[in-house]
Amino acid sequence: MSIQGYANQFICDLVAYEPGKPIEETARELGLDPDKIVKLASNENPLGPSPQAQIAIQKVMSQAHIYPDGGGYQLRSALAEKFQVEQSQVILGNGSNEIIELLCHSFLNPKASLIAAEHAFVVYQLMATLFGAKYIQVPDPGFVHDLEAMADAITPETRLLFIANPNNPTGTLVGQQEIDRLMERVPDHVIVVFDEAYYEFLGEKAPDTVKFVRENRNVVVMRTFSKAQGLAGLRIGYGLAGADVAALLQKSRQPFNTNAVAQAAALAAINDTAHIDATVQNNTVGLDFFQNAFEERGMEFVPSYANFVLVKVGDGDRVFSEMLKQGVIIRAMRGYKLPEWVRISVGTPEQNERCLEVLDQVL
Ligand SMILES: *Cc1c(COP(=O)(O)O)cnc(C)c1O
């Protein structure tokens, strides 16, 4: 018998996550100059990493031979102070994606179920599958999470309910009223996870979910340094959780799950408001640019609250590969069961113009 026969069946059946195509790989395969390639495929920060973080990284490098503070004391203190929660309620992750995995370690097994929206961030399904748990998808009319229907889907076996807000890849947002109503209905055996990777882009429109953390409800608010702070390559994110949930997540992690360089960079990036403001401003302009262009061309798109936009192009795979040949990387959406759509991240004004020019040619 092959070794596959001895592996967990749900691993053998798993369809691996397909990330945005890397610039170097594209350059190699197509013989292009990597410096001329425009990547608008992974919702990265087009202005680069926080300059404050870059300075902090230089300083900490001479201590790279020392193991990191596994407890992340400084970074967790700073986050606790910023959001007015207890330090024990802050969990660090190797990217906020790791917090998803820690939740699964704590709560999922083949008898448990996870609820998410039909077009939710695909990592939830991936993780549910890895832990052999049942994945319940709730229809999201108009690509907006239907929180009433998600609450209706809760059973005694449900442990996790994910709300990506705004959601990736749709860019849609659910508001305070719907969230408050859900939190009135949700029973104690379910942990509600607010995945707020694009929180900084919302400004005043951001619903208050940290209040549930302060009330020690069974919630986790997940955020990341990958997007607005531009630290995706360092892998650092965090969760704010009700005390009981937080204690379980702390036990589920590896001793040194976040590294010293990432911790130092994140600590500096928290207060780099100049960079965050410039990032949000660039994003507002870029989103307007794309959405106005799509409107002018009569193309269907989903109005976005994040740093990317979902647009209908007919054959998404074809548009992706034709644009790739011209050195513009976007994201095809077949993996999200949206074969007619592509997702485009907002870049710098020059990158956005180049992307639109190539998109026009291809269409
Ligand atoms: C980008 C993103 C994340 C963040 O991932 P990291 O692991 O922190 O880089 C989490 N959730 C959603 C919905 C995202 O789009």
Side-chain angles (χ1 to χ4, degrees), residues 116-122 124-125 135 137-145 150 164 166-172 308 310 333-339 341:
E118 188 178 351
H119 297 99
F121 188 44
V122 77
Y124 313 145
Q125 179 163 23
Y135 184 71
Q137 298 183 52
V138 178
D140 47 9
F143 295 126
V144 182
H145 282 40
M150 290 175 83
N167 182 43
N168 172 13
T170 60
T172 54
F308 55 82
L310 189 66
M333 289 281 112
R334 182 172 298 283
Y336 280 91
K337 290 164 294 165
L338 296 168
W341 299 73

PDB file of all heavy atoms in Angstrom, residues 116-122 124-125 135 137-145 150 164 166-172 308 310 333-339 341:
ATOM      1  N   ALA A 116     -19.638  29.433   7.611  1.00  0.00           N
ATOM      2  CA  ALA A 116     -19.136  30.631   6.930  1.00  0.00           C
ATOM      3  C   ALA A 116     -20.060  30.951   5.759  1.00  0.00           C
ATOM      4  O   ALA A 116     -20.928  30.146   5.405  1.00  0.00           O
ATOM      5  CB  ALA A 116     -17.710  30.414   6.440  1.00  0.00           C
ATOM      6  N   ALA A 117     -19.875  32.127   5.189  1.00  0.00           N
ATOM      7  CA  ALA A 117     -20.689  32.536   4.039  1.00  0.00           C
ATOM      8  C   ALA A 117     -20.197  31.834   2.774  1.00  0.00           C
ATOM      9  O   ALA A 117     -19.034  31.441   2.682  1.00  0.00           O
ATOM     10  CB  ALA A 117     -20.617  34.051   3.864  1.00  0.00           C
ATOM     11  N   GLU A 118     -21.099  31.720   1.796  1.00  0.00           N
ATOM     12  CA  GLU A 118     -20.804  30.961   0.578  1.00  0.00           C
ATOM     13  C   GLU A 118     -19.551  31.475  -0.137  1.00  0.00           C
ATOM     14  O   GLU A 118     -18.745  30.687  -0.619  1.00  0.00           O
ATOM     15  CB  GLU A 118     -22.005  31.037  -0.371  1.00  0.00           C
ATOM     16  CG  GLU A 118     -21.864  30.122  -1.560  1.00  0.00           C
ATOM     17  CD  GLU A 118     -23.086  30.165  -2.474  1.00  0.00           C
ATOM     18  OE1 GLU A 118     -24.106  30.781  -2.093  1.00  0.00           O
ATOM     19  OE2 GLU A 118     -22.998  29.594  -3.569  1.00  0.00           O
ATOM     20  N   HIS A 119     -19.384  32.779  -0.203  1.00  0.00           N
ATOM     21  CA  HIS A 119     -18.207  33.324  -0.902  1.00  0.00           C
ATOM     22  C   HIS A 119     -17.200  33.905   0.075  1.00  0.00           C
ATOM     23  O   HIS A 119     -16.537  34.900  -0.201  1.00  0.00           O
ATOM     24  CB  HIS A 119     -18.642  34.359  -1.941  1.00  0.00           C
ATOM     25  CG  HIS A 119     -19.504  33.766  -3.009  1.00  0.00           C
ATOM     26  ND1 HIS A 119     -20.878  33.869  -2.977  1.00  0.00           N
ATOM     27  CD2 HIS A 119     -19.190  33.021  -4.102  1.00  0.00           C
ATOM     28  CE1 HIS A 119     -21.374  33.213  -4.030  1.00  0.00           C
ATOM     29  NE2 HIS A 119     -20.372  32.708  -4.722  1.00  0.00           N
ATOM     30  N   ALA A 120     -17.080  33.270   1.234  1.00  0.00           N
ATOM     31  CA  ALA A 120     -16.147  33.748   2.258  1.00  0.00           C
ATOM     32  C   ALA A 120     -14.703  33.403   1.879  1.00  0.00           C
ATOM     33  O   ALA A 120     -14.456  32.555   1.015  1.00  0.00           O
ATOM     34  CB  ALA A 120     -16.488  33.129   3.603  1.00  0.00           C
ATOM     35  N   PHE A 121     -13.779  34.051   2.566  1.00  0.00           N
ATOM     36  CA  PHE A 121     -12.338  33.774   2.470  1.00  0.00           C
ATOM     37  C   PHE A 121     -12.122  32.261   2.521  1.00  0.00           C
ATOM     38  O   PHE A 121     -12.629  31.581   3.417  1.00  0.00           O
ATOM     39  CB  PHE A 121     -11.670  34.458   3.663  1.00  0.00           C
ATOM     40  CG  PHE A 121     -10.172  34.459   3.653  1.00  0.00           C
ATOM     41  CD1 PHE A 121      -9.447  34.748   2.503  1.00  0.00           C
ATOM     42  CD2 PHE A 121      -9.474  34.217   4.837  1.00  0.00           C
ATOM     43  CE1 PHE A 121      -8.066  34.780   2.522  1.00  0.00           C
ATOM     44  CE2 PHE A 121      -8.096  34.253   4.865  1.00  0.00           C
ATOM     45  CZ  PHE A 121      -7.391  34.527   3.700  1.00  0.00           C
ATOM     46  N   VAL A 122     -11.368  31.737   1.550  1.00  0.00           N
ATOM     47  CA  VAL A 122     -11.332  30.299   1.312  1.00  0.00           C
ATOM     48  C   VAL A 122     -10.545  29.523   2.382  1.00  0.00           C
ATOM     49  O   VAL A 122     -10.698  28.307   2.526  1.00  0.00           O
ATOM     50  CB  VAL A 122     -10.783  30.019  -0.117  1.00  0.00           C
ATOM     51  CG1 VAL A 122      -9.274  30.177  -0.167  1.00  0.00           C
ATOM     52  CG2 VAL A 122     -11.221  28.679  -0.640  1.00  0.00           C
ATOM     53  N   TYR A 124     -10.977  29.409   5.516  1.00  0.00           N
ATOM     54  CA  TYR A 124     -11.834  28.775   6.546  1.00  0.00           C
ATOM     55  C   TYR A 124     -12.177  27.345   6.137  1.00  0.00           C
ATOM     56  O   TYR A 124     -12.121  26.421   6.941  1.00  0.00           O
ATOM     57  CB  TYR A 124     -13.140  29.555   6.754  1.00  0.00           C
ATOM     58  CG  TYR A 124     -12.977  31.047   6.901  1.00  0.00           C
ATOM     59  CD1 TYR A 124     -13.949  31.924   6.394  1.00  0.00           C
ATOM     60  CD2 TYR A 124     -11.871  31.598   7.544  1.00  0.00           C
ATOM     61  CE1 TYR A 124     -13.807  33.299   6.525  1.00  0.00           C
ATOM     62  CE2 TYR A 124     -11.726  32.961   7.666  1.00  0.00           C
ATOM     63  CZ  TYR A 124     -12.689  33.809   7.150  1.00  0.00           C
ATOM     64  OH  TYR A 124     -12.555  35.156   7.258  1.00  0.00           O
ATOM     65  N   GLN A 125     -12.539  27.187   4.860  1.00  0.00           N
ATOM     66  CA  GLN A 125     -12.903  25.857   4.366  1.00  0.00           C
ATOM     67  C   GLN A 125     -11.693  24.919   4.380  1.00  0.00           C
ATOM     68  O   GLN A 125     -11.797  23.755   4.773  1.00  0.00           O
ATOM     69  CB  GLN A 125     -13.462  25.960   2.945  1.00  0.00           C
ATOM     70  CG  GLN A 125     -13.827  24.590   2.384  1.00  0.00           C
ATOM     71  CD  GLN A 125     -14.749  24.665   1.186  1.00  0.00           C
ATOM     72  OE1 GLN A 125     -14.800  25.684   0.489  1.00  0.00           O
ATOM     73  NE2 GLN A 125     -15.468  23.596   0.945  1.00  0.00           N
ATOM     74  N   TYR A 135     -18.066  21.598   7.139  1.00  0.00           N
ATOM     75  CA  TYR A 135     -18.041  23.004   6.721  1.00  0.00           C
ATOM     76  C   TYR A 135     -19.419  23.385   6.191  1.00  0.00           C
ATOM     77  O   TYR A 135     -19.896  22.808   5.211  1.00  0.00           O
ATOM     78  CB  TYR A 135     -16.986  23.191   5.630  1.00  0.00           C
ATOM     79  CG  TYR A 135     -16.802  24.621   5.193  1.00  0.00           C
ATOM     80  CD1 TYR A 135     -16.202  25.553   6.033  1.00  0.00           C
ATOM     81  CD2 TYR A 135     -17.250  25.059   3.939  1.00  0.00           C
ATOM     82  CE1 TYR A 135     -16.034  26.871   5.633  1.00  0.00           C
ATOM     83  CE2 TYR A 135     -17.072  26.367   3.530  1.00  0.00           C
ATOM     84  CZ  TYR A 135     -16.457  27.272   4.385  1.00  0.00           C
ATOM     85  OH  TYR A 135     -16.294  28.574   3.995  1.00  0.00           O
ATOM     86  N   GLN A 137     -21.785  26.123   4.487  1.00  0.00           N
ATOM     87  CA  GLN A 137     -21.765  27.377   3.728  1.00  0.00           C
ATOM     88  C   GLN A 137     -23.159  27.952   3.668  1.00  0.00           C
ATOM     89  O   GLN A 137     -24.088  27.287   3.264  1.00  0.00           O
ATOM     90  CB  GLN A 137     -21.339  27.120   2.290  1.00  0.00           C
ATOM     91  CG  GLN A 137     -19.955  26.555   2.156  1.00  0.00           C
ATOM     92  CD  GLN A 137     -19.573  26.407   0.695  1.00  0.00           C
ATOM     93  OE1 GLN A 137     -19.666  27.339  -0.079  1.00  0.00           O
ATOM     94  NE2 GLN A 137     -19.143  25.211   0.326  1.00  0.00           N
ATOM     95  N   VAL A 138     -23.293  29.203   4.036  1.00  0.00           N
ATOM     96  CA  VAL A 138     -24.596  29.858   4.048  1.00  0.00           C
ATOM     97  C   VAL A 138     -24.667  30.836   2.861  1.00  0.00           C
ATOM     98  O   VAL A 138     -23.747  31.641   2.684  1.00  0.00           O
ATOM     99  CB  VAL A 138     -24.809  30.596   5.381  1.00  0.00           C
ATOM    100  CG1 VAL A 138     -26.146  31.331   5.397  1.00  0.00           C
ATOM    101  CG2 VAL A 138     -24.722  29.613   6.546  1.00  0.00           C
ATOM    102  N   PRO A 139     -25.733  30.752   2.043  1.00  0.00           N
ATOM    103  CA  PRO A 139     -25.851  31.650   0.888  1.00  0.00           C
ATOM    104  C   PRO A 139     -25.725  33.123   1.298  1.00  0.00           C
ATOM    105  O   PRO A 139     -26.170  33.514   2.378  1.00  0.00           O
ATOM    106  CB  PRO A 139     -27.265  31.358   0.359  1.00  0.00           C
ATOM    107  CG  PRO A 139     -27.552  29.962   0.802  1.00  0.00           C
ATOM    108  CD  PRO A 139     -26.854  29.804   2.125  1.00  0.00           C
ATOM    109  N   ASP A 140     -25.071  33.901   0.408  1.00  0.00           N
ATOM    110  CA  ASP A 140     -24.841  35.325   0.676  1.00  0.00           C
ATOM    111  C   ASP A 140     -25.377  36.161  -0.493  1.00  0.00           C
ATOM    112  O   ASP A 140     -24.620  36.549  -1.377  1.00  0.00           O
ATOM    113  CB  ASP A 140     -23.356  35.618   0.917  1.00  0.00           C
ATOM    114  CG  ASP A 140     -22.434  34.963  -0.119  1.00  0.00           C
ATOM    115  OD1 ASP A 140     -22.943  34.422  -1.125  1.00  0.00           O
ATOM    116  OD2 ASP A 140     -21.211  35.014   0.064  1.00  0.00           O
ATOM    117  N   PRO A 141     -26.691  36.411  -0.508  1.00  0.00           N
ATOM    118  CA  PRO A 141     -27.308  37.123  -1.638  1.00  0.00           C
ATOM    119  C   PRO A 141     -26.624  38.473  -1.872  1.00  0.00           C
ATOM    120  O   PRO A 141     -26.369  39.201  -0.925  1.00  0.00           O
ATOM    121  CB  PRO A 141     -28.759  37.333  -1.192  1.00  0.00           C
ATOM    122  CG  PRO A 141     -28.970  36.410  -0.029  1.00  0.00           C
ATOM    123  CD  PRO A 141     -27.634  36.175   0.590  1.00  0.00           C
ATOM    124  N   GLY A 142     -26.311  38.761  -3.139  1.00  0.00           N
ATOM    125  CA  GLY A 142     -25.618  40.008  -3.466  1.00  0.00           C
ATOM    126  C   GLY A 142     -24.214  40.040  -2.907  1.00  0.00           C
ATOM    127  O   GLY A 142     -23.627  41.101  -2.748  1.00  0.00           O
ATOM    128  N   PHE A 143     -23.668  38.867  -2.577  1.00  0.00           N
ATOM    129  CA  PHE A 143     -22.312  38.718  -2.016  1.00  0.00           C
ATOM    130  C   PHE A 143     -22.172  39.319  -0.620  1.00  0.00           C
ATOM    131  O   PHE A 143     -21.058  39.570  -0.153  1.00  0.00           O
ATOM    132  CB  PHE A 143     -21.245  39.334  -2.941  1.00  0.00           C
ATOM    133  CG  PHE A 143     -21.104  38.638  -4.267  1.00  0.00           C
ATOM    134  CD1 PHE A 143     -21.210  39.350  -5.454  1.00  0.00           C
ATOM    135  CD2 PHE A 143     -20.842  37.279  -4.323  1.00  0.00           C
ATOM    136  CE1 PHE A 143     -21.059  38.705  -6.684  1.00  0.00           C
ATOM    137  CE2 PHE A 143     -20.697  36.629  -5.543  1.00  0.00           C
ATOM    138  CZ  PHE A 143     -20.805  37.345  -6.722  1.00  0.00           C
ATOM    139  N   VAL A 144     -23.295  39.591   0.066  1.00  0.00           N
ATOM    140  CA  VAL A 144     -23.229  40.139   1.423  1.00  0.00           C
ATOM    141  C   VAL A 144     -23.563  39.024   2.409  1.00  0.00           C
ATOM    142  O   VAL A 144     -24.559  38.308   2.233  1.00  0.00           O
ATOM    143  CB  VAL A 144     -24.212  41.322   1.604  1.00  0.00           C
ATOM    144  CG1 VAL A 144     -24.089  41.906   2.998  1.00  0.00           C
ATOM    145  CG2 VAL A 144     -23.948  42.406   0.547  1.00  0.00           C
ATOM    146  N   HIS A 145     -22.747  38.859   3.454  1.00  0.00           N
ATOM    147  CA  HIS A 145     -23.037  37.865   4.503  1.00  0.00           C
ATOM    148  C   HIS A 145     -24.465  38.078   5.013  1.00  0.00           C
ATOM    149  O   HIS A 145     -24.850  39.201   5.338  1.00  0.00           O
ATOM    150  CB  HIS A 145     -22.109  38.059   5.707  1.00  0.00           C
ATOM    151  CG  HIS A 145     -20.724  37.521   5.536  1.00  0.00           C
ATOM    152  ND1 HIS A 145     -19.989  37.611   4.385  1.00  0.00           N
ATOM    153  CD2 HIS A 145     -19.918  36.873   6.423  1.00  0.00           C
ATOM    154  CE1 HIS A 145     -18.795  37.053   4.557  1.00  0.00           C
ATOM    155  NE2 HIS A 145     -18.719  36.597   5.786  1.00  0.00           N
ATOM    156  N   MET A 150     -27.072  32.855   8.845  1.00  0.00           N
ATOM    157  CA  MET A 150     -25.921  32.172   9.464  1.00  0.00           C
ATOM    158  C   MET A 150     -26.275  31.755  10.886  1.00  0.00           C
ATOM    159  O   MET A 150     -25.923  30.648  11.323  1.00  0.00           O
ATOM    160  CB  MET A 150     -24.686  33.078   9.430  1.00  0.00           C
ATOM    161  CG  MET A 150     -24.133  33.254   8.006  1.00  0.00           C
ATOM    162  SD  MET A 150     -22.764  34.432   7.871  1.00  0.00           S
ATOM    163  CE  MET A 150     -21.378  33.383   8.345  1.00  0.00           C
ATOM    164  N   ALA A 164     -16.130  37.465   7.760  1.00  0.00           N
ATOM    165  CA  ALA A 164     -15.034  38.245   7.186  1.00  0.00           C
ATOM    166  C   ALA A 164     -15.606  39.620   6.857  1.00  0.00           C
ATOM    167  O   ALA A 164     -16.522  39.735   6.053  1.00  0.00           O
ATOM    168  CB  ALA A 164     -14.495  37.566   5.944  1.00  0.00           C
ATOM    169  N   PRO A 166     -14.481  43.674   6.121  1.00  0.00           N
ATOM    170  CA  PRO A 166     -15.072  43.259   4.844  1.00  0.00           C
ATOM    171  C   PRO A 166     -14.537  41.892   4.416  1.00  0.00           C
ATOM    172  O   PRO A 166     -13.460  41.489   4.817  1.00  0.00           O
ATOM    173  CB  PRO A 166     -14.635  44.344   3.852  1.00  0.00           C
ATOM    174  CG  PRO A 166     -13.535  45.079   4.500  1.00  0.00           C
ATOM    175  CD  PRO A 166     -13.626  44.849   5.966  1.00  0.00           C
ATOM    176  N   ASN A 167     -15.364  41.234   3.578  1.00  0.00           N
ATOM    177  CA  ASN A 167     -14.989  39.898   3.122  1.00  0.00           C
ATOM    178  C   ASN A 167     -14.021  39.967   1.947  1.00  0.00           C
ATOM    179  O   ASN A 167     -14.046  40.903   1.169  1.00  0.00           O
ATOM    180  CB  ASN A 167     -16.255  39.142   2.706  1.00  0.00           C
ATOM    181  CG  ASN A 167     -15.963  37.728   2.254  1.00  0.00           C
ATOM    182  OD1 ASN A 167     -15.164  37.020   2.875  1.00  0.00           O
ATOM    183  ND2 ASN A 167     -16.576  37.309   1.156  1.00  0.00           N
ATOM    184  N   ASN A 168     -13.167  38.995   1.860  1.00  0.00           N
ATOM    185  CA  ASN A 168     -12.296  38.782   0.713  1.00  0.00           C
ATOM    186  C   ASN A 168     -12.747  37.473   0.071  1.00  0.00           C
ATOM    187  O   ASN A 168     -12.813  36.464   0.774  1.00  0.00           O
ATOM    188  CB  ASN A 168     -10.848  38.660   1.223  1.00  0.00           C
ATOM    189  CG  ASN A 168      -9.858  38.251   0.169  1.00  0.00           C
ATOM    190  OD1 ASN A 168     -10.168  38.271  -1.017  1.00  0.00           O
ATOM    191  ND2 ASN A 168      -8.663  37.874   0.594  1.00  0.00           N
ATOM    192  N   PRO A 169     -13.108  37.426  -1.183  1.00  0.00           N
ATOM    193  CA  PRO A 169     -12.813  38.354  -2.285  1.00  0.00           C
ATOM    194  C   PRO A 169     -13.929  39.315  -2.679  1.00  0.00           C
ATOM    195  O   PRO A 169     -13.796  39.975  -3.709  1.00  0.00           O
ATOM    196  CB  PRO A 169     -12.577  37.383  -3.441  1.00  0.00           C
ATOM    197  CG  PRO A 169     -13.611  36.308  -3.219  1.00  0.00           C
ATOM    198  CD  PRO A 169     -13.720  36.183  -1.718  1.00  0.00           C
ATOM    199  N   THR A 170     -15.012  39.426  -1.901  1.00  0.00           N
ATOM    200  CA  THR A 170     -16.143  40.225  -2.392  1.00  0.00           C
ATOM    201  C   THR A 170     -16.024  41.704  -2.027  1.00  0.00           C
ATOM    202  O   THR A 170     -16.599  42.558  -2.699  1.00  0.00           O
ATOM    203  CB  THR A 170     -17.469  39.679  -1.820  1.00  0.00           C
ATOM    204  OG1 THR A 170     -17.395  39.751  -0.382  1.00  0.00           O
ATOM    205  CG2 THR A 170     -17.713  38.243  -2.237  1.00  0.00           C
ATOM    206  N   GLY A 171     -15.324  42.024  -0.933  1.00  0.00           N
ATOM    207  CA  GLY A 171     -15.176  43.416  -0.501  1.00  0.00           C
ATOM    208  C   GLY A 171     -16.406  43.987   0.187  1.00  0.00           C
ATOM    209  O   GLY A 171     -16.475  45.180   0.465  1.00  0.00           O
ATOM    210  N   THR A 172     -17.387  43.128   0.497  1.00  0.00           N
ATOM    211  CA  THR A 172     -18.624  43.624   1.111  1.00  0.00           C
ATOM    212  C   THR A 172     -18.509  43.681   2.635  1.00  0.00           C
ATOM    213  O   THR A 172     -17.711  42.968   3.246  1.00  0.00           O
ATOM    214  CB  THR A 172     -19.825  42.730   0.738  1.00  0.00           C
ATOM    215  OG1 THR A 172     -19.506  41.375   1.083  1.00  0.00           O
ATOM    216  CG2 THR A 172     -20.141  42.828  -0.746  1.00  0.00           C
ATOM    217  N   PHE A 308      -9.292  46.033  -2.752  1.00  0.00           N
ATOM    218  CA  PHE A 308      -9.379  45.236  -3.988  1.00  0.00           C
ATOM    219  C   PHE A 308     -10.812  45.345  -4.475  1.00  0.00           C
ATOM    220  O   PHE A 308     -11.688  45.802  -3.731  1.00  0.00           O
ATOM    221  CB  PHE A 308      -9.042  43.764  -3.688  1.00  0.00           C
ATOM    222  CG  PHE A 308      -9.891  43.186  -2.591  1.00  0.00           C
ATOM    223  CD1 PHE A 308     -11.166  42.715  -2.825  1.00  0.00           C
ATOM    224  CD2 PHE A 308      -9.425  43.163  -1.278  1.00  0.00           C
ATOM    225  CE1 PHE A 308     -11.959  42.207  -1.792  1.00  0.00           C
ATOM    226  CE2 PHE A 308     -10.207  42.667  -0.247  1.00  0.00           C
ATOM    227  CZ  PHE A 308     -11.478  42.195  -0.504  1.00  0.00           C
ATOM    228  N   LEU A 310     -13.835  43.166  -6.961  1.00  0.00           N
ATOM    229  CA  LEU A 310     -14.249  41.984  -7.712  1.00  0.00           C
ATOM    230  C   LEU A 310     -15.034  42.464  -8.928  1.00  0.00           C
ATOM    231  O   LEU A 310     -15.995  43.223  -8.781  1.00  0.00           O
ATOM    232  CB  LEU A 310     -15.129  41.120  -6.802  1.00  0.00           C
ATOM    233  CG  LEU A 310     -15.521  39.730  -7.255  1.00  0.00           C
ATOM    234  CD1 LEU A 310     -14.303  38.809  -7.335  1.00  0.00           C
ATOM    235  CD2 LEU A 310     -16.564  39.136  -6.311  1.00  0.00           C
ATOM    236  N   MET A 333     -10.827  33.724 -10.187  1.00  0.00           N
ATOM    237  CA  MET A 333     -11.679  33.408  -9.036  1.00  0.00           C
ATOM    238  C   MET A 333     -12.375  32.059  -9.151  1.00  0.00           C
ATOM    239  O   MET A 333     -13.357  31.816  -8.454  1.00  0.00           O
ATOM    240  CB  MET A 333     -12.729  34.511  -8.871  1.00  0.00           C
ATOM    241  CG  MET A 333     -12.182  35.839  -8.369  1.00  0.00           C
ATOM    242  SD  MET A 333     -11.900  35.814  -6.572  1.00  0.00           S
ATOM    243  CE  MET A 333     -10.137  35.892  -6.481  1.00  0.00           C
ATOM    244  N   ARG A 334     -11.860  31.180 -10.018  1.00  0.00           N
ATOM    245  CA  ARG A 334     -12.494  29.856 -10.153  1.00  0.00           C
ATOM    246  C   ARG A 334     -12.508  29.123  -8.816  1.00  0.00           C
ATOM    247  O   ARG A 334     -13.477  28.461  -8.462  1.00  0.00           O
ATOM    248  CB  ARG A 334     -11.753  29.019 -11.213  1.00  0.00           C
ATOM    249  CG  ARG A 334     -12.367  27.659 -11.448  1.00  0.00           C
ATOM    250  CD  ARG A 334     -11.731  26.944 -12.630  1.00  0.00           C
ATOM    251  NE  ARG A 334     -11.921  27.672 -13.875  1.00  0.00           N
ATOM    252  CZ  ARG A 334     -13.064  27.688 -14.568  1.00  0.00           C
ATOM    253  NH1 ARG A 334     -14.102  27.012 -14.141  1.00  0.00           N
ATOM    254  NH2 ARG A 334     -13.155  28.376 -15.682  1.00  0.00           N
ATOM    255  N   GLY A 335     -11.428  29.263  -8.068  1.00  0.00           N
ATOM    256  CA  GLY A 335     -11.337  28.620  -6.756  1.00  0.00           C
ATOM    257  C   GLY A 335     -12.434  29.066  -5.793  1.00  0.00           C
ATOM    258  O   GLY A 335     -12.706  28.386  -4.814  1.00  0.00           O
ATOM    259  N   TYR A 336     -13.039  30.196  -6.081  1.00  0.00           N
ATOM    260  CA  TYR A 336     -14.147  30.704  -5.262  1.00  0.00           C
ATOM    261  C   TYR A 336     -15.499  30.413  -5.925  1.00  0.00           C
ATOM    262  O   TYR A 336     -16.501  31.017  -5.566  1.00  0.00           O
ATOM    263  CB  TYR A 336     -13.996  32.206  -5.034  1.00  0.00           C
ATOM    264  CG  TYR A 336     -13.000  32.560  -3.947  1.00  0.00           C
ATOM    265  CD1 TYR A 336     -11.664  32.784  -4.236  1.00  0.00           C
ATOM    266  CD2 TYR A 336     -13.414  32.664  -2.618  1.00  0.00           C
ATOM    267  CE1 TYR A 336     -10.754  33.103  -3.240  1.00  0.00           C
ATOM    268  CE2 TYR A 336     -12.515  32.984  -1.624  1.00  0.00           C
ATOM    269  CZ  TYR A 336     -11.189  33.206  -1.933  1.00  0.00           C
ATOM    270  OH  TYR A 336     -10.303  33.525  -0.934  1.00  0.00           O
ATOM    271  N   LYS A 337     -15.489  29.543  -6.924  1.00  0.00           N
ATOM    272  CA  LYS A 337     -16.682  29.233  -7.709  1.00  0.00           C
ATOM    273  C   LYS A 337     -17.250  30.493  -8.369  1.00  0.00           C
ATOM    274  O   LYS A 337     -18.451  30.665  -8.502  1.00  0.00           O
ATOM    275  CB  LYS A 337     -17.751  28.532  -6.847  1.00  0.00           C
ATOM    276  CG  LYS A 337     -17.367  27.105  -6.456  1.00  0.00           C
ATOM    277  CD  LYS A 337     -18.239  26.584  -5.316  1.00  0.00           C
ATOM    278  CE  LYS A 337     -17.963  27.370  -4.062  1.00  0.00           C
ATOM    279  NZ  LYS A 337     -18.879  27.277  -2.994  1.00  0.00           N
ATOM    280  N   LEU A 338     -16.335  31.387  -8.787  1.00  0.00           N
ATOM    281  CA  LEU A 338     -16.741  32.599  -9.505  1.00  0.00           C
ATOM    282  C   LEU A 338     -15.911  32.690 -10.797  1.00  0.00           C
ATOM    283  O   LEU A 338     -15.106  33.604 -10.972  1.00  0.00           O
ATOM    284  CB  LEU A 338     -16.495  33.841  -8.634  1.00  0.00           C
ATOM    285  CG  LEU A 338     -17.291  33.949  -7.334  1.00  0.00           C
ATOM    286  CD1 LEU A 338     -16.743  35.062  -6.448  1.00  0.00           C
ATOM    287  CD2 LEU A 338     -18.763  34.204  -7.639  1.00  0.00           C
ATOM    288  N   PRO A 339     -16.107  31.712 -11.712  1.00  0.00           N
ATOM    289  CA  PRO A 339     -15.229  31.635 -12.897  1.00  0.00           C
ATOM    290  C   PRO A 339     -15.347  32.839 -13.829  1.00  0.00           C
ATOM    291  O   PRO A 339     -14.470  33.050 -14.659  1.00  0.00           O
ATOM    292  CB  PRO A 339     -15.693  30.340 -13.596  1.00  0.00           C
ATOM    293  CG  PRO A 339     -17.071  30.093 -13.079  1.00  0.00           C
ATOM    294  CD  PRO A 339     -17.113  30.640 -11.681  1.00  0.00           C
ATOM    295  N   TRP A 341     -15.433  35.947 -12.846  1.00  0.00           N
ATOM    296  CA  TRP A 341     -14.961  37.153 -12.169  1.00  0.00           C
ATOM    297  C   TRP A 341     -13.448  37.122 -11.980  1.00  0.00           C
ATOM    298  O   TRP A 341     -12.838  36.059 -11.949  1.00  0.00           O
ATOM    299  CB  TRP A 341     -15.614  37.265 -10.785  1.00  0.00           C
ATOM    300  CG  TRP A 341     -17.108  37.365 -10.806  1.00  0.00           C
ATOM    301  CD1 TRP A 341     -17.991  36.354 -11.086  1.00  0.00           C
ATOM    302  CD2 TRP A 341     -17.902  38.529 -10.541  1.00  0.00           C
ATOM    303  NE1 TRP A 341     -19.283  36.823 -10.989  1.00  0.00           N
ATOM    304  CE2 TRP A 341     -19.257  38.148 -10.657  1.00  0.00           C
ATOM    305  CE3 TRP A 341     -17.599  39.856 -10.192  1.00  0.00           C
ATOM    306  CZ2 TRP A 341     -20.305  39.050 -10.459  1.00  0.00           C
ATOM    307  CZ3 TRP A 341     -18.642  40.751  -9.981  1.00  0.00           C
ATOM    308  CH2 TRP A 341     -19.976  40.344 -10.125  1.00  0.00           C
TER     309      TRP A 341
END
